[in-house]
Amino acid sequence: MRVDLGNALSTTPGVSESSLERLDEQVAAAHETIEEGRENAEHGYAALNLPDTADPDAIRSAVEPFDAPEAVVTVGIGGSALGAATLSSALAEPSDPDAYYLDNVDPERVTRLLSTLDLSETVVNVVSRSGTTAETLSNFLVVREAMDDAGVDWTDRTFVTTGEEGNLRNLAEKHDLPSLPVPDGVPGRFSALSTVGLAVAAIQGHDLDALLAGARAESERLSGSLFESPAYAYGAASYALANRGALTNAMMPYAEDLEYFAEWFAQLWAESLGKDGLGQTPARALGATDQHSQLQLYRAGPRDKLVTLVRPTERADRGIPETDLEGLSYLGGSSLGELLDAEFEATEASLAAAGVPNVRVEIDAVDERGLGELLYGMEAACVLYGELAGVSTFTQPAVEWGKRAARGLLGGGDFEEADAVSEKTSLVVE
């Protein structure tokens, strides 16, 4: 992974190279804290050890019974789905089993998906650390009923990824289901390079070793200086820019295969850093599509944004045919890849010319190694940002509040958070 901070140095808001040099002392101290946390496998920091602690052989063994299914449906939410979805969508080949994600409880979406699948040729992957996640367990019960109704033995088509205890662990033991453990000390949004994120990639036949090798390479570049680590450079610059008013971070990959990556990044950044009135709001965009929908705001709207432009430097290409259409002849003889690169560089220059900070992030290719680098790099950047900001990066108290409120409304216990729902103020216009 390569990070270019040049277009964030003389912008509004912006961060100078000299201020980054001063910040580097704090980066060195934060790195010591991170390394100590990793060494002791403390909660959260253990996620940065996954390139060395994840066991790809165990993952492949767990999914081996499900040889060549037509589809795999992951039932999970948030970090239990987004990492796997990022990998499967980025690496998908036409011959791969189709990957679907039930990460919401929208009844129409669930019903529509189940009606289109041959459930006898579908593998179901149920993911929940606690085994009690209401959305996940509800969707799984619906899927299991659909399989029963279709005459499919769900126990032959299901595996679970869960903690050592809980409903799903009990279910796996009762029905002798294949299962994978959720690693200790790894919050869901940091679990893409673990059993949680890698199982679907294994079913699709992707190279788990290369994914972890890419992550390991990025791990080995972490150091006490942001000028020696792309991950730390990105995390430190994002933190510094947020302190100067860039409170929105628009993640804009220039590869459709990375569109889901922007969704994964949004959870990572928002849930980890949005604490104590601090944080940087992630926005999702796609180049070049959103040059025609969002760039107007980024370039000419409020000066409160950092735009992160991500691209692979190598990709398959396709030529643009020659044409005699007036005004378009210049396109003939070039390629779609060349056009996309021109769009990338034009957007970058457009933002810089308007004084809007933007950072370039590059990987060699959207392949297993490149994705390992990118995902690990962003996780390490997030952890560093959290250390610099002094927030509790690995907790999510606001999310837990909402979970308790919903559970109380459904009769799952007596939770005072549920009482707040009845206190809602209304101003209805019909």
Side-chain angles (χ1 to χ4, degrees):
M1 187 174 80
R2 296 172 294 281
V3 172
D4 182 351
L5 304 178
N7 280 351
L9 297 178
S10 57
T11 54
T12 305
V15 55
S16 67
E17 192 166 349
S18 60
S19 65
L20 288 175
E21 290 171 353
R22 291 192 298 273
L23 181 61
D24 211 29
E25 294 181 10
Q26 296 177 51
V27 171
H31 177 64
E32 289 186 12
T33 301
I34 293 168
E35 287 303 291
E36 183 179 349
R38 292 180 65 188
E39 184 176 346
N40 296 322
E42 295 176 18
H43 180 75
Y45 299 104
L48 297 181
N49 295 335
L50 284 171
D52 297 311
T53 59
D55 186 348
D57 290 333
I59 296 171
R60 285 187 285 258
S61 295
V63 303
E64 188 175 8
F66 309 110
D67 185 42
E70 290 183 4
V72 55
V73 175
T74 296
V75 184
I77 195 167
S80 295
L82 284 171
T86 296
L87 294 172
S88 65
S89 63
L91 297 173
E93 299 288 347
S95 58
D96 289 345
D98 293 327
Y100 302 95
Y101 296 87
L102 286 181
D103 58 353
N104 204 335
V105 286
D106 182 328
E108 292 186 350
R109 153 72 172 153
V110 174
T111 301
R112 186 165 58 247
L113 175 62
L114 293 176
S115 70
T116 64
L117 295 175
D118 180 350
L119 296 176
S120 67
E121 295 293 332
T122 298
V123 173
V124 178
N125 172 26
V126 192
V127 187
S128 169
R129 175 191 294 277
S130 66
T132 61
T133 307
E135 298 91 343
T136 299
L137 272 294
S138 297
N139 273 336
F140 173 57
L141 292 174
V142 171
V143 172
R144 189 171 72 172
E145 179 183 61
M147 286 185 151
D148 285 339
D149 291 346
V152 176
D153 185 347
W154 65 270
T155 64
D156 289 338
R157 311 299 302 168
T158 301
F159 74 99
V160 302
T161 305
T162 191
E164 295 180 359
E165 300 178 349
N167 294 330
L168 281 182
R169 178 57 58 196
N170 295 338
L171 186 78
E173 292 174 355
K174 177 180 179 180
H175 295 282
D176 196 25
L177 303 177
S179 66
L180 286 166
V182 174
D184 291 334
V186 179
R189 58 190 176 278
F190 287 89
S191 65
L193 296 169
S194 76
T195 51
V196 174
L198 297 179
V200 175
I203 289 175
Q204 292 182 315
H206 300 303
D207 190 342
L208 305 191
D209 298 285
L211 272 161
L212 293 171
R216 190 175 304 112
E218 209 57 44
S219 168
E220 291 169 355
R221 300 177 72 185
L222 300 182
S223 75
S225 173
L226 69 92
F227 297 103
E228 296 174 2
S229 166
Y232 282 177
Y234 184 74
S238 298
Y239 163 76
L241 288 164
N243 278 353
R244 289 159 174 78
L247 296 177
T248 297
N249 187 340
M251 176 57 68
M252 193 170 185
Y254 273 70
E256 287 214 28
D257 288 341
L258 292 177
E259 187 171 13
Y260 233 117
F261 159 75
E263 294 203 29
W264 171 86
F265 174 85
Q267 184 196 9
L268 177 75
W269 220 246
E271 197 167 47
S272 299
L273 303 175
K275 316 279 170 63
D276 305 325
L278 302 174
Q280 193 178 48
T281 301
R284 294 172 288 188
L286 178 66
T289 299
D290 286 314
Q291 289 173 219
H292 297 268
S293 64
Q294 298 181 33
L295 184 59
Q296 175 66 37
L297 173 67
Y298 300 158
R299 191 177 193 274
R303 295 306 180 94
D304 61 353
K305 297 173 186 64
L306 159 66
V307 181
T308 302
L309 302 161
V310 182
R311 72 170 175 182
T313 56
E314 303 168 9
R315 58 160 64 90
D317 207 350
R318 182 160 187 155
I320 300 173
E322 300 284 353
T323 180
D324 58 2
L325 292 174
E326 185 177 353
L328 295 178
S329 59
Y330 72 96
L331 293 173
S334 62
S335 69
L336 293 178
E338 290 171 339
L339 177 57
L340 190 58
D341 283 341
E343 299 271 20
F344 177 98
E345 291 166 12
T347 298
E348 191 177 51
S350 170
L351 292 165
V356 178
N358 59 95
V359 173
R360 177 191 292 201
V361 178
E362 293 179 325
I363 55 176
D364 289 340
V366 181
D367 59 11
E368 286 91 343
R369 185 179 180 89
L371 284 167
E373 292 178 5
L374 184 61
L375 295 178
Y376 187 93
M378 288 299 162
E379 289 181 0
C382 182
V383 174
L384 177 73
Y385 186 131
E387 294 293 334
L388 295 174
V391 300
S392 179
T393 309
F394 306 116
T395 62
Q396 51 282 333
V399 175
E400 299 304 325
W401 194 101
K403 288 181 179 179
R404 291 190 294 271
R407 187 168 181 177
L409 290 173
L410 292 169
D414 185 15
F415 296 94
E416 63 180 25
E417 291 85 354
D419 297 336
V421 177
S422 62
E423 299 168 3
K424 177 188 178 299
T425 299
S426 296
L427 176 58
V428 179
V429 179
E430 296 183 350

